[in-house]
Amino acid sequence: MAEQPAHGTTDKERAEAQRIVQASEFGARVPRRPWLRWLLVLIAVGWSLFQLYATYFGAITPQKLGAIHLAFGFALAFLAYPGKKGPAERIPWSDWLLAIAGVVTSLYIVVNYYNLVAVQGGLPITRDVWAGSVLLIVLALAASRLVGIALPIIAGIAILYGVTGPAGIIPVTPPDVIFLHNGYDWRQIVQQLYITTEGIWGTPIQVSASFVFLFVLFGALLDRAGAGQYFVDLAYSGLGTYRGGPAKAAVVASLLTGIISGSSTANTVTTGTFTIPLMKKIGYPAVKAGATECAASTNGQLMPPIMGAAAFIMATFLNIPYSQLILYAIVPALLSYIGLLFTVHLEALKLNLAGMPRAELPPFWSTFMKGAHYLIPVAFLLYELMWVQLTPARSALNALLMLIVLILIQEVWRGMRGGEGVAAGLWKGVKAVFQGLEMGARNMTTIAIATAAAGIIVGMVTMTNLGYGLTQVIGVLSFGNIWLVLILAAVTSLILGIGLPTTANYIVMAALVAPVIANLAGDAGIAVPMVAIHLFVFYFGILADDTPPVGLAAYAAAAISRADPIRTGVQGFTYDLRTAILPFMFFFNPELLLYEVESWYRGVWVIFTAMTGMLAFVATIQGYLVTWVRWYERLLILGGALLMIKPGLMTDIPGLILLALVFIYHRHRSISGGGPSALFGKGSYPARQRSAG
């Protein structure tokens, strides 16, 4: 086995982590024949170019755009992603057949659009029903291949419910009293899901096709330019000398990478190949090193401006500008990362770890200036979104064009400085752009399939009015108690998150559970904005994202740290539990989302109390503050944290007083008992390093 370098991963570890990313987001199939490899490349690049063309000219109707978008997704889903037992070096005839069936039935909508809309008035003929039926089957197979079996099963149950009515699957007497329908025929089901824009071609895939693709492409091109490594270097140069410095740097590096990437797995590999070995070097056990990176990377989906596909769909569901959603999401996202920084700091105290010597780290300002140009397109994107108030699609397109020019200039400059010449540098720039176009499209394949499959569930909920029935059932189960409703919603989201990726999880929860919470909160006399409810279910979907068997970020981190992936995922989940208190905070106090804040000082107070409650909750989970906390201290700290959930001086002031008294007592006990007293600050580098295992 190759020896592990001091500041990096072995080739074997890096290759395994890259294999996981390749399989989950890029496509694990690499055909032996060159023309097949080039075919996959051209399909991916063609998809990216089509999306740029469609955004620039804007002459394609949403339904046609979604259909072409899904056609490309089907092509890559079956040609680039082998099944569980499928060959990775060749494309079997069955996959060719499935790809062709998916492409043809998707483009059928485009070719027959005029007849379907103008001539038939949206009413399907027999040929339409056959085409729609084939697409539903192919979509279920593609979804099971790319995102697991859970999403097709839920979609299948939704269709079964639509066909049979509740009497077929729900023992309610009489079922139609609550669930309001007795079943639809198959032609009506196909019309809803395949012909109209209420099903497969509904909001999720329209958002995916119109601007999610462009933001994913932006992140892929920025990564190809070198921004990912720059963010890692910048975080290490600034935080490496502090207690547990590599872990803190991993958190900040993942935060910065999350700004440009909505993928937790890619974030894990981009930052983890450097951060995890350094965490092990200063004494973090392999499981905790991998879990820290895993938790930091999954939370990257919370960080604006690129929050993952679910956030874009959320803005459309809520009918608010994406720029407004960014403002709502920024404070909870930052609080989540502050909580994780405190978590890794307490871990460093528990393990008695220190930072790295400054001599082993690059100087901060020279590191910052070395890649400061990567911040230009990000800043320009935010300027277009927040100040100019352009649409997300147009903002992303303009930022993409700027980024492409920046990549070309960067490579020409490097070619001139390296003596290779302008032409060689320009060619490298063109290749980097080409590779970014390919990477962006391949990264979108899973999102396109997941949003289309989730559209089935949304369509059936709309058709059957299932939300009303669920409101009645959950209202009975929870006895109308809003706390029980929220806990049921959180547990449901966590369970779904074990088998669904974040985007599909959010769509299912937004369609089924968010309206229920809104209705029951209204019945309880609690005025809660819909954005708080949608972010509530979104956060718990993220919380489940690092748990096996679907939490691929845990597998990628474990491949680098050489730890057990299940233990890594579970440990990462315990680190992410700190975010469990946040959704309850902004549900009961929407001012935490900067929603209708009365004044700036009121906003500061809300953020301060929320952060205090978050840090207290972290200390409760970790069982550590200045030293190990005793059981009664733990209960008191938890009580103080819970008092911070509901806003108001009647809860905030007692909570702050309780936490202050516990901290004073705890610190006095630790000092008098000879325990460690340095809660903050830097530590001296240990003369003898701990074992990296």
Side-chain angles (χ1 to χ4, degrees), residues 25 211-223 227 231 253-264 266-267 296-314 322-323 325-327 329-330 333 337 374-375 377-382 385-386 392-393 395-397 399-400 403 440 443-444 447 502-503 538 542:
E25 303 195 17
F211 48 85
V212 170
F213 190 103
L214 298 177
F215 279 85
V216 171
L217 182 58
F218 178 81
L221 282 167
L222 201 54
D223 184 61
F231 289 147
S254 294
L255 180 153
L256 294 172
T257 304
I259 291 175
I260 64 169
S261 170
S263 166
S264 56
N267 192 330
S297 296
T298 54
N299 276 207
Q301 296 178 76
L302 304 175
M303 182 56 59
I306 302 178
M307 299 169 59
F312 296 95
I313 296 170
M314 185 190 304
Y322 182 66
S323 57
L325 183 61
I326 288 176
L327 290 177
I330 185 65
Y337 271 102
Y374 295 129
L375 304 177
V378 177
F380 181 70
L381 174 62
L382 289 172
L385 277 172
M386 310 298 292
S395 301
L397 178 64
L400 273 167
L403 178 56
N443 290 344
M444 271 300 301
I447 297 174
T502 305
T503 303
F538 176 63
I542 297 288

Coordinates of all heavy atoms in Angstrom, one line a residue, residues 25 211-223 227 231 253-264 266-267 296-314 322-323 325-327 329-330 333 337 374-375 377-382 385-386 392-393 395-397 399-400 403 440 443-444 447 502-503 538 542:
E25 N -22.7 10.9 -9.5 CA -23.0 12.2 -10.1 C -22.5 12.3 -11.5 O -22.9 13.3 -12.2 CB -22.5 13.3 -9.2 CG -23.0 13.2 -7.8 CD -22.8 14.5 -7.0 OE1 -22.5 15.5 -7.6 OE2 -22.9 14.5 -5.8
F211 N -33.5 27.1 -14.7 CA -32.3 27.7 -14.1 C -31.5 26.9 -13.1 O -30.4 27.2 -12.9 CB -32.7 29.1 -13.4 CG -33.9 29.0 -12.5 CD1 -33.8 28.7 -11.2 CD2 -35.1 29.4 -13.0 CE1 -34.8 28.7 -10.3 CE2 -36.2 29.4 -12.1 CZ -36.1 29.1 -10.8
V212 N -32.0 25.7 -12.6 CA -31.1 24.9 -11.8 C -29.9 24.4 -12.6 O -28.8 24.4 -12.2 CB -31.9 23.7 -11.3 CG1 -31.0 22.7 -10.6 CG2 -33.0 24.1 -10.2
F213 N -30.2 24.0 -13.9 CA -29.1 23.6 -14.7 C -28.0 24.6 -14.8 O -26.8 24.3 -14.8 CB -29.7 23.2 -16.1 CG -28.7 22.5 -17.0 CD1 -28.8 21.2 -17.2 CD2 -27.6 23.2 -17.6 CE1 -27.9 20.5 -18.0 CE2 -26.7 22.5 -18.4 CZ -26.8 21.2 -18.6
L214 N -28.4 25.9 -15.0 CA -27.4 26.9 -15.2 C -26.6 27.1 -14.0 O -25.4 27.4 -14.0 CB -28.1 28.2 -15.6 CG -28.9 28.2 -16.9 CD1 -29.6 29.5 -17.2 CD2 -27.9 27.9 -18.1
F215 N -27.2 27.0 -12.8 CA -26.4 27.2 -11.6 C -25.5 26.0 -11.3 O -24.3 26.2 -10.8 CB -27.4 27.4 -10.4 CG -27.9 28.8 -10.2 CD1 -29.0 29.2 -10.9 CD2 -27.3 29.7 -9.4 CE1 -29.5 30.5 -10.8 CE2 -27.8 31.0 -9.3 CZ -28.9 31.4 -10.0
V216 N -25.9 24.8 -11.6 CA -25.0 23.7 -11.5 C -23.9 23.8 -12.5 O -22.7 23.5 -12.2 CB -25.8 22.4 -11.8 CG1 -24.9 21.2 -11.9 CG2 -26.9 22.1 -10.7
L217 N -24.2 24.3 -13.7 CA -23.1 24.5 -14.7 C -22.1 25.5 -14.3 O -20.9 25.4 -14.5 CB -23.8 24.8 -16.0 CG -22.8 25.0 -17.2 CD1 -22.0 23.8 -17.5 CD2 -23.6 25.4 -18.5
F218 N -22.6 26.6 -13.6 CA -21.8 27.6 -13.1 C -20.8 27.0 -12.1 O -19.6 27.3 -12.1 CB -22.6 28.7 -12.5 CG -21.9 29.8 -11.8 CD1 -21.3 30.9 -12.6 CD2 -21.7 29.9 -10.5 CE1 -20.6 31.9 -12.0 CE2 -21.0 30.9 -9.9 CZ -20.5 31.9 -10.6
G219 N -21.3 26.2 -11.1 CA -20.5 25.6 -10.2 C -19.4 24.7 -10.8 O -18.3 24.6 -10.3
A220 N -19.8 23.9 -11.8 CA -18.9 23.0 -12.4 C -17.8 23.7 -13.1 O -16.6 23.3 -13.1 CB -19.7 22.1 -13.5
L221 N -18.1 24.8 -13.8 CA -17.1 25.6 -14.5 C -16.2 26.3 -13.5 O -14.9 26.4 -13.7 CB -17.7 26.6 -15.4 CG -18.3 26.1 -16.8 CD1 -19.1 27.1 -17.4 CD2 -17.1 25.7 -17.7
L222 N -16.7 26.8 -12.4 CA -15.9 27.4 -11.4 C -14.9 26.4 -10.8 O -13.8 26.7 -10.5 CB -16.8 28.1 -10.3 CG -16.2 29.2 -9.5 CD1 -15.6 30.3 -10.4 CD2 -17.2 29.8 -8.6
D223 N -15.4 25.2 -10.6 CA -14.6 24.2 -10.0 C -13.4 23.8 -11.0 O -12.3 23.6 -10.6 CB -15.4 22.9 -9.7 CG -14.6 21.8 -9.0 OD1 -14.0 22.1 -8.0 OD2 -14.5 20.7 -9.6
A227 N -11.4 27.0 -8.4 CA -11.9 27.7 -7.2 C -12.0 26.8 -6.0 O -11.8 27.2 -4.9 CB -13.3 28.3 -7.5
F231 N -10.4 27.7 -2.3 CA -11.2 27.8 -1.1 C -10.6 27.0 0.0 O -10.6 27.4 1.2 CB -12.7 27.4 -1.3 CG -13.4 28.4 -2.1 CD1 -14.4 28.0 -3.0 CD2 -13.1 29.7 -2.1 CE1 -15.2 28.9 -3.8 CE2 -13.8 30.7 -2.9 CZ -14.9 30.2 -3.7
A253 N -13.9 25.7 4.5 CA -13.7 25.3 3.1 C -15.0 24.7 2.5 O -15.3 25.0 1.4 CB -12.5 24.3 3.0
S254 N -15.7 23.9 3.3 CA -16.9 23.3 2.8 C -18.0 24.4 2.6 O -18.8 24.3 1.7 CB -17.4 22.2 3.7 OG -16.5 21.1 3.6
L255 N -18.0 25.3 3.6 CA -18.9 26.4 3.5 C -18.7 27.2 2.2 O -19.6 27.5 1.4 CB -18.8 27.4 4.7 CG -19.7 28.6 4.8 CD1 -19.9 29.0 6.2 CD2 -19.1 29.8 4.0
L256 N -17.4 27.6 1.9 CA -17.1 28.3 0.7 C -17.4 27.5 -0.6 O -17.9 28.1 -1.6 CB -15.6 28.7 0.7 CG -15.2 29.7 1.9 CD1 -13.7 29.9 1.9 CD2 -15.9 31.1 1.6
T257 N -17.1 26.2 -0.5 CA -17.4 25.4 -1.7 C -18.9 25.3 -1.9 O -19.4 25.2 -3.0 CB -16.7 24.0 -1.5 OG1 -15.3 24.2 -1.3 CG2 -16.9 23.2 -2.8
G258 N -19.6 25.2 -0.8 CA -21.1 25.2 -0.9 C -21.7 26.4 -1.5 O -22.8 26.3 -2.0
I259 N -21.0 27.5 -1.5 CA -21.5 28.7 -2.2 C -21.6 28.5 -3.7 O -22.5 29.0 -4.3 CB -20.5 29.9 -1.9 CG1 -20.6 30.3 -0.4 CG2 -20.8 31.1 -2.8 CD1 -19.6 31.4 0.0
I260 N -20.7 27.6 -4.2 CA -20.7 27.4 -5.7 C -21.2 26.0 -6.1 O -21.3 25.7 -7.3 CB -19.3 27.6 -6.3 CG1 -18.3 26.6 -5.7 CG2 -18.8 29.0 -6.0 CD1 -17.0 26.6 -6.4
S261 N -21.5 25.1 -5.1 CA -21.9 23.8 -5.4 C -23.0 23.3 -4.6 O -23.0 23.5 -3.3 CB -20.7 22.8 -5.2 OG -21.1 21.5 -5.3
G262 N -24.0 22.7 -5.2 CA -25.2 22.2 -4.4 C -25.0 20.7 -4.2 O -26.0 20.1 -3.8
S263 N -23.9 20.1 -4.4 CA -23.7 18.7 -4.3 C -22.8 18.4 -3.1 O -21.7 18.8 -3.0 CB -23.0 18.1 -5.6 OG -22.5 16.8 -5.3
S264 N -23.4 17.6 -2.1 CA -22.7 17.3 -0.9 C -21.5 16.3 -1.2 O -20.5 16.4 -0.6 CB -23.6 16.7 0.1 OG -24.3 15.6 -0.4
A266 N -19.8 15.8 -4.1 CA -18.7 16.5 -4.8 C -17.9 17.5 -3.8 O -16.7 17.6 -3.8 CB -19.2 17.3 -6.0
N267 N -18.7 18.1 -2.9 CA -18.1 19.0 -1.9 C -17.2 18.2 -1.0 O -16.0 18.6 -0.7 CB -19.2 19.7 -1.1 CG -18.7 20.8 -0.3 OD1 -17.6 20.8 0.2 ND2 -19.6 21.8 0.0
A296 N -20.0 18.9 7.2 CA -19.8 20.3 6.7 C -20.2 20.3 5.2 O -20.8 21.3 4.7 CB -18.3 20.6 6.8
S297 N -20.0 19.3 4.5 CA -20.3 19.2 3.0 C -21.8 19.1 2.8 O -22.3 19.8 1.9 CB -19.6 18.1 2.3 OG -18.2 18.3 2.4
T298 N -22.5 18.3 3.6 CA -24.0 18.2 3.4 C -24.6 19.5 3.7 O -25.6 19.9 3.1 CB -24.6 17.1 4.2 OG1 -24.2 17.3 5.6 CG2 -24.1 15.7 3.8
N299 N -24.1 20.3 4.7 CA -24.7 21.6 5.0 C -24.4 22.6 3.9 O -24.9 23.7 4.0 CB -24.2 22.1 6.4 CG -25.0 21.5 7.5 OD1 -25.1 22.1 8.6 ND2 -25.6 20.3 7.3
G300 N -23.5 22.3 3.0 CA -23.2 23.2 1.9 C -24.5 23.6 1.1 O -24.6 24.6 0.5
Q301 N -25.5 22.6 1.1 CA -26.7 22.9 0.4 C -27.5 24.0 1.0 O -28.5 24.5 0.4 CB -27.5 21.6 0.3 CG -26.8 20.5 -0.5 CD -27.6 19.2 -0.5 OE1 -28.6 19.1 -1.2 NE2 -27.2 18.3 0.3
L302 N -27.2 24.3 2.3 CA -27.9 25.4 2.9 C -27.4 26.8 2.6 O -28.0 27.8 2.9 CB -27.9 25.2 4.5 CG -28.3 23.9 5.0 CD1 -28.0 23.8 6.5 CD2 -29.8 23.7 4.7
M303 N -26.2 26.8 2.0 CA -25.5 28.1 1.9 C -25.8 28.8 0.5 O -25.5 28.2 -0.5 CB -24.0 27.9 2.0 CG -23.1 29.1 1.9 SD -23.6 30.4 3.1 CE -23.4 29.6 4.7
P304 N -26.4 30.0 0.5 CA -26.6 30.7 -0.7 C -25.2 31.1 -1.3 O -24.2 31.2 -0.6 CB -27.4 32.0 -0.3 CG -28.0 31.6 1.1 CD -27.0 30.6 1.7
P305 N -25.2 31.5 -2.6 CA -26.3 31.6 -3.5 C -26.7 30.3 -4.2 O -27.8 30.2 -4.7 CB -25.8 32.6 -4.5 CG -24.3 32.4 -4.6 CD -23.9 32.0 -3.2
I306 N -25.9 29.3 -4.2 CA -26.3 28.0 -4.9 C -26.6 27.0 -3.8 O -25.7 26.4 -3.2 CB -25.2 27.5 -5.8 CG1 -24.8 28.6 -6.9 CG2 -25.6 26.2 -6.5 CD1 -23.7 28.2 -7.8
M307 N -27.9 26.8 -3.5 CA -28.3 26.0 -2.4 C -28.7 24.6 -2.8 O -29.3 23.9 -2.0 CB -29.4 26.7 -1.6 CG -29.1 28.1 -1.0 SD -30.5 29.0 -0.5 CE -31.2 27.9 0.7
G308 N -28.5 24.2 -4.0 CA -29.0 23.0 -4.4 C -30.4 23.1 -5.1 O -31.1 24.2 -5.0
A309 N -30.8 22.1 -5.9 CA -32.0 22.2 -6.7 C -33.2 22.5 -5.9 O -34.1 23.2 -6.3 CB -32.1 20.9 -7.5
A310 N -33.3 21.9 -4.7 CA -34.5 22.0 -3.9 C -34.8 23.5 -3.6 O -36.0 23.9 -3.5 CB -34.3 21.2 -2.6
A311 N -33.8 24.3 -3.4 CA -34.0 25.7 -3.0 C -34.7 26.5 -4.2 O -35.5 27.3 -4.0 CB -32.7 26.4 -2.6
F312 N -34.2 26.2 -5.4 CA -34.8 26.9 -6.6 C -36.3 26.4 -6.7 O -37.1 27.3 -7.1 CB -34.0 26.5 -7.8 CG -32.6 27.0 -7.8 CD1 -31.6 26.2 -7.4 CD2 -32.3 28.3 -8.2 CE1 -30.3 26.6 -7.4 CE2 -31.0 28.7 -8.2 CZ -30.0 27.9 -7.8
I313 N -36.5 25.2 -6.5 CA -37.9 24.7 -6.6 C -38.8 25.3 -5.5 O -39.9 25.7 -5.7 CB -38.0 23.1 -6.5 CG1 -37.2 22.5 -7.7 CG2 -39.4 22.6 -6.4 CD1 -37.0 21.1 -7.6
M314 N -38.2 25.5 -4.3 CA -38.9 26.1 -3.2 C -39.3 27.5 -3.6 O -40.5 28.0 -3.3 CB -38.0 26.2 -2.0 CG -38.7 26.7 -0.7 SD -37.5 27.0 0.6 CE -36.8 25.4 0.8
Y322 N -36.0 34.3 -6.2 CA -34.9 33.5 -5.6 C -34.0 34.4 -4.8 O -33.5 34.0 -3.7 CB -34.1 32.8 -6.7 CG -33.0 31.9 -6.1 CD1 -33.3 30.8 -5.3 CD2 -31.7 32.2 -6.3 CE1 -32.3 30.0 -4.8 CE2 -30.7 31.4 -5.8 CZ -31.0 30.3 -5.0 OH -30.0 29.5 -4.5
S323 N -33.8 35.6 -5.2 CA -33.0 36.6 -4.4 C -33.6 36.8 -3.0 O -32.9 37.0 -2.0 CB -32.9 37.9 -5.2 OG -34.2 38.5 -5.4
L325 N -35.4 34.5 -1.4 CA -35.1 33.3 -0.6 C -33.7 33.3 -0.1 O -33.5 32.8 1.0 CB -35.4 32.1 -1.5 CG -35.2 30.7 -0.8 CD1 -36.2 30.5 0.3 CD2 -35.4 29.6 -1.8
I326 N -32.8 33.8 -0.8 CA -31.4 33.9 -0.4 C -31.3 34.7 0.9 O -30.6 34.3 1.9 CB -30.5 34.6 -1.4 CG1 -30.3 33.6 -2.6 CG2 -29.1 35.0 -0.9 CD1 -29.5 34.2 -3.8
L327 N -32.0 35.8 1.0 CA -32.1 36.7 2.2 C -32.7 35.9 3.4 O -32.2 36.0 4.5 CB -32.8 38.0 1.9 CG -32.2 39.0 1.0 CD1 -33.1 40.2 0.8 CD2 -30.8 39.4 1.6
A329 N -32.7 32.7 3.8 CA -31.9 31.5 4.2 C -30.5 31.8 4.8 O -29.9 30.9 5.4 CB -31.7 30.6 2.9
I330 N -30.0 33.0 4.6 CA -28.6 33.3 4.9 C -28.3 33.2 6.4 O -27.3 32.6 6.8 CB -28.2 34.7 4.4 CG1 -26.7 34.9 4.6 CG2 -29.0 35.8 5.0 CD1 -25.8 33.9 3.8
A333 N -28.3 29.5 7.7 CA -27.2 28.8 7.2 C -25.9 29.2 7.9 O -25.1 28.3 8.3 CB -27.0 29.1 5.7
Y337 N -23.4 26.7 10.4 CA -22.0 26.6 10.3 C -21.2 27.0 11.6 O -20.2 26.5 12.0 CB -21.4 27.3 9.1 CG -21.4 26.4 7.8 CD1 -22.4 26.5 6.9 CD2 -20.5 25.4 7.7 CE1 -22.4 25.7 5.8 CE2 -20.5 24.6 6.6 CZ -21.5 24.7 5.6 OH -21.5 23.9 4.5
Y374 N -11.4 34.4 -8.6 CA -12.5 33.5 -8.6 C -13.8 34.1 -7.9 O -14.9 33.6 -8.1 CB -12.1 32.2 -7.8 CG -11.0 31.4 -8.5 CD1 -9.9 31.0 -7.8 CD2 -11.1 31.1 -9.9 CE1 -8.9 30.3 -8.4 CE2 -10.1 30.3 -10.5 CZ -9.0 29.9 -9.7 OH -8.0 29.2 -10.3
L375 N -13.6 35.1 -7.1 CA -14.7 35.7 -6.4 C -15.4 36.7 -7.3 O -16.6 37.0 -7.0 CB -14.2 36.5 -5.2 CG -13.4 35.6 -4.2 CD1 -12.9 36.5 -3.0 CD2 -14.2 34.5 -3.6
P377 N -16.8 36.3 -10.5 CA -18.1 35.9 -11.1 C -19.1 35.6 -10.0 O -20.3 35.8 -10.2 CB -17.7 34.6 -11.8 CG -16.4 34.2 -11.3 CD -15.7 35.4 -10.9
V378 N -18.7 35.2 -8.8 CA -19.6 34.9 -7.7 C -20.3 36.3 -7.3 O -21.5 36.4 -7.1 CB -19.0 34.2 -6.5 CG1 -19.9 34.1 -5.3 CG2 -18.4 32.9 -6.9
A379 N -19.4 37.3 -7.1 CA -19.9 38.6 -6.7 C -20.8 39.2 -7.8 O -21.9 39.8 -7.5 CB -18.7 39.6 -6.5
F380 N -20.5 38.9 -9.1 CA -21.3 39.4 -10.2 C -22.6 38.7 -10.2 O -23.7 39.3 -10.5 CB -20.6 39.2 -11.5 CG -21.3 39.7 -12.7 CD1 -21.5 41.0 -12.9 CD2 -21.9 38.8 -13.6 CE1 -22.2 41.5 -14.0 CE2 -22.6 39.2 -14.7 CZ -22.7 40.6 -14.9
L381 N -22.7 37.4 -9.9 CA -23.9 36.7 -9.8 C -24.8 37.2 -8.7 O -26.0 37.5 -9.0 CB -23.6 35.2 -9.5 CG -24.8 34.3 -9.3 CD1 -25.7 34.2 -10.5 CD2 -24.4 32.9 -8.9
L382 N -24.2 37.5 -7.6 CA -25.0 38.1 -6.5 C -25.5 39.5 -6.9 O -26.7 39.9 -6.5 CB -24.2 38.1 -5.2 CG -23.9 36.8 -4.5 CD1 -23.0 36.9 -3.4 CD2 -25.2 36.2 -4.0
L385 N -28.5 39.1 -9.1 CA -29.6 38.6 -8.4 C -30.2 39.6 -7.5 O -31.4 39.9 -7.5 CB -29.3 37.3 -7.7 CG -29.3 36.0 -8.4 CD1 -28.7 34.9 -7.5 CD2 -30.7 35.6 -8.9
M386 N -29.4 40.2 -6.7 CA -29.9 41.0 -5.5 C -30.1 42.5 -5.8 O -31.0 43.1 -5.4 CB -28.9 40.9 -4.4 CG -28.5 39.5 -4.0 SD -29.8 38.5 -3.5 CE -30.2 39.2 -1.9
P392 N -33.3 34.5 -12.0 CA -32.2 33.6 -11.7 C -31.6 33.1 -13.0 O -30.3 32.9 -13.1 CB -32.9 32.5 -10.9 CG -34.0 33.1 -10.3 CD -34.5 34.1 -11.3
A393 N -32.4 32.7 -14.0 CA -31.8 32.2 -15.3 C -30.9 33.2 -16.0 O -29.8 32.9 -16.4 CB -33.0 31.8 -16.2
S395 N -29.5 35.9 -14.6 CA -28.3 36.2 -13.8 C -27.3 35.1 -13.9 O -26.1 35.4 -14.1 CB -28.8 36.2 -12.3 OG -29.7 37.3 -12.1
A396 N -27.7 33.8 -13.9 CA -26.8 32.7 -14.0 C -26.1 32.7 -15.4 O -24.9 32.4 -15.5 CB -27.5 31.4 -13.8
L397 N -26.9 33.0 -16.5 CA -26.4 33.0 -17.8 C -25.3 34.1 -17.9 O -24.2 33.9 -18.5 CB -27.5 33.3 -18.8 CG -27.0 33.4 -20.3 CD1 -26.4 32.0 -20.8 CD2 -28.2 33.8 -21.2
A399 N -23.5 35.4 -15.5 CA -22.3 35.1 -14.7 C -21.5 33.9 -15.4 O -20.3 33.9 -15.4 CB -22.8 34.6 -13.4
L400 N -22.2 33.0 -16.1 CA -21.6 32.0 -16.8 C -20.7 32.5 -18.0 O -19.6 32.1 -18.2 CB -22.6 31.0 -17.4 CG -23.1 29.8 -16.5 CD1 -24.3 29.2 -17.1 CD2 -21.9 28.8 -16.4
L403 N -17.7 34.0 -16.5 CA -16.8 33.0 -16.0 C -16.0 32.3 -17.1 O -14.8 32.0 -17.0 CB -17.6 31.9 -15.2 CG -16.8 30.7 -14.7 CD1 -15.7 31.2 -13.8 CD2 -17.8 29.8 -13.9
G440 N -21.0 19.7 -15.9 CA -22.3 20.3 -15.5 C -23.5 19.5 -15.9 O -24.4 19.2 -15.1
N443 N -23.6 16.2 -14.0 CA -24.1 16.4 -12.6 C -25.6 16.6 -12.5 O -26.2 16.4 -11.5 CB -23.4 17.6 -12.0 CG -21.9 17.3 -11.7 OD1 -21.5 16.2 -11.7 ND2 -21.1 18.3 -11.5
M444 N -26.2 17.1 -13.7 CA -27.6 17.4 -13.7 C -28.5 16.1 -13.9 O -29.7 16.2 -13.8 CB -27.9 18.4 -14.8 CG -27.8 19.8 -14.3 SD -28.9 20.3 -13.0 CE -30.5 19.9 -13.7
I447 N -30.6 15.0 -11.0 CA -31.6 16.1 -10.7 C -32.8 16.0 -11.6 O -33.9 16.1 -11.2 CB -30.9 17.5 -10.6 CG1 -29.9 17.5 -9.5 CG2 -32.0 18.5 -10.4 CD1 -29.1 18.8 -9.5
T502 N -32.0 14.8 -1.5 CA -32.6 16.0 -0.9 C -33.7 16.6 -1.7 O -34.7 17.0 -1.2 CB -31.5 17.1 -0.6 OG1 -30.4 16.5 0.1 CG2 -32.0 18.3 0.1
T503 N -33.4 16.7 -3.0 CA -34.4 17.4 -3.9 C -35.7 16.6 -3.9 O -36.8 17.3 -3.7 CB -33.8 17.5 -5.4 OG1 -32.6 18.1 -5.3 CG2 -34.8 18.2 -6.3
F538 N -37.2 21.4 4.5 CA -36.0 21.4 3.7 C -34.8 21.0 4.7 O -33.9 20.2 4.3 CB -35.8 22.7 3.0 CG -34.5 22.9 2.3 CD1 -34.2 22.1 1.2 CD2 -33.6 23.8 2.7 CE1 -33.0 22.2 0.5 CE2 -32.4 24.0 2.0 CZ -32.1 23.2 0.9
I542 N -32.1 17.9 4.6 CA -30.7 18.0 4.6 C -30.1 17.2 5.8 O -29.0 16.5 5.6 CB -30.2 19.5 4.8 CG1 -30.7 20.3 3.6 CG2 -28.7 19.6 4.9 CD1 -30.0 20.0 2.3

